[in-house]
Amino acid sequence: MPKTVIAGNWKMNQNPSEAIELARAIRDGFDAATNVEVVLCPPAISLIGVSEAVQGSAVRVGAQNMHYEDAGAFTGEISPLMLQGICDYVILGHSERRQLFGETDDLVNQKVKAAFRHSLRPILCVGETLEQREGGQANTVIEAQVRAGLSDIVDITGLVLAYEPIWAIGTGQAATPEIASDIMGGAIQQTLQSMFGPAANDVPILYGGSVNPGNVASYMSQSPIHGALVGGASLQAEQFLEIVNLAGAAK
Ligand code: PGA
């Protein structure tokens, strides 16, 4: 059973001093005895500040995105080399990147490969739209995203998968634990098994989409769900820590 992971995706929120303040409050309130891997993913400009703020604690840091090249003429981008030593994790293929910034499965795959090359743990996000779910295509879409995102990869040590149905992100319309568990224990776990065999059992699979203190335990009680990727509710230390503690207690 993989370790429980609760990752906070701060998205484009918090200026650098607010980010440090939030990270410090989470660091101070986090009880490492919960045995939860806590990952804070601030905007790129705050990665260094947050990483310094949590240094020496069990709290980990992740980026929200990166380029796949090490360096070069890519205005506005950040490379995996630059993240090394600052972050342990990087969120890749988030639906907002795919939908608003045109990221394709192929691009996401290049980024996942780059993360592995630089010993960063990719949090690979997959998820279907409402239209795809209503059209009965959720399983097919998810399987295709997992296969494409992990194409030509042999060793998946360190991989984290996140199932984030697009219709549940930031909407308050969380997927039921049964819907989430069905996809996570089904399409995702089975695809990982068929591609990587027993190594698939070590991959934490997180649910994301309107997770809050009121619903987190219901997800954690499902065995195929190993953690959560939290957006809105990760922006307040108290709420986020409540999610962490509830998740730790439920597992
Ligand atoms: P949300 O976002 O918790 O605000 O729905 C989750 C995410 O996009 O990672």
Side-chain angles (χ1 to χ4, degrees):
M1 187 72 150
K3 186 170 177 175
T4 303
V5 177
I6 301 290
N9 176 8
W10 297 358
K11 307 193 181 183
M12 198 173 72
N13 296 292
Q14 313 285 356
N15 69 29
S17 48
E18 290 165 344
I20 290 170
E21 202 178 308
L22 178 56
R24 283 187 183 144
I26 292 169
R27 173 201 67 192
D28 292 345
F30 173 53
D31 177 3
T34 54
N35 205 28
V36 173
E37 176 92 335
V38 169
V39 187
L40 309 183
C41 305
I45 194 167
S46 296
L47 283 168
I48 293 174
V50 166
S51 135
E52 285 171 359
V54 301
Q55 208 164 25
S57 78
V59 175
R60 299 280 162 250
V61 179
Q64 296 176 12
N65 179 35
M66 67 176 193
H67 199 276
Y68 57 86
E69 293 282 1
D70 286 0
F74 302 102
T75 302
E77 293 291 315
I78 290 174
S79 90
L81 264 187
M82 297 168 187
L83 295 177
Q84 268 184 334
I86 298 170
C87 301
D88 292 305
Y89 291 83
V90 56
I91 299 173
L92 295 172
H94 189 280
S95 62
E96 286 151 17
R97 299 293 324 164
R98 295 177 191 258
Q99 291 203 310
L100 305 173
F101 302 97
E103 292 202 7
T104 60
D105 277 330
D106 185 49
L107 180 67
V108 173
N109 176 239
Q110 303 215 53
K111 293 182 178 199
V112 173
K113 287 180 188 159
F116 282 127
R117 270 201 306 280
H118 293 88
S119 307
L120 293 162
R121 295 187 65 178
I123 303 177
L124 170 61
C125 301
V126 297
E128 81 284 1
T129 62
L130 186 58
E131 207 180 7
Q132 289 164 335
R133 170 152 292 274
E134 286 174 345
Q137 298 163 314
N139 284 299
T140 328
V141 167
I142 299 302
E143 175 174 351
Q145 286 178 351
V146 173
R147 283 197 183 278
L150 298 173
S151 159
D152 296 325
I153 291 169
V154 178
D155 184 0
I156 52 164
T157 308
L159 175 68
V160 179
L161 236 294
Y163 170 57
E164 298 206 310
I166 295 170
W167 44 273
I169 295 178
T171 58
Q173 300 280 348
T176 63
E178 292 71 28
I179 287 182
S181 175
D182 184 55
I183 292 280
M184 295 163 79
I188 294 180
Q189 184 60 246
Q190 283 163 18
T191 306
L192 287 175
Q193 294 274 359
S194 85
M195 292 178 80
F196 304 104
N201 298 330
D202 298 331
V203 178
I205 307 177
L206 319 183
Y207 168 74
S210 300
V211 172
N212 60 46
N215 62 19
V216 67
S218 64
Y219 294 108
M220 295 307 133
S221 63
Q222 305 276 336
S223 62
I225 305 184
H226 309 129
L229 181 52
V230 186
S234 71
L235 293 170
Q236 284 176 334
E238 225 172 86
Q239 228 186 141
F240 184 67
L241 287 166
E242 206 182 334
I243 290 174
V244 171
N245 291 335
L246 288 163
K251 274 295 175 195

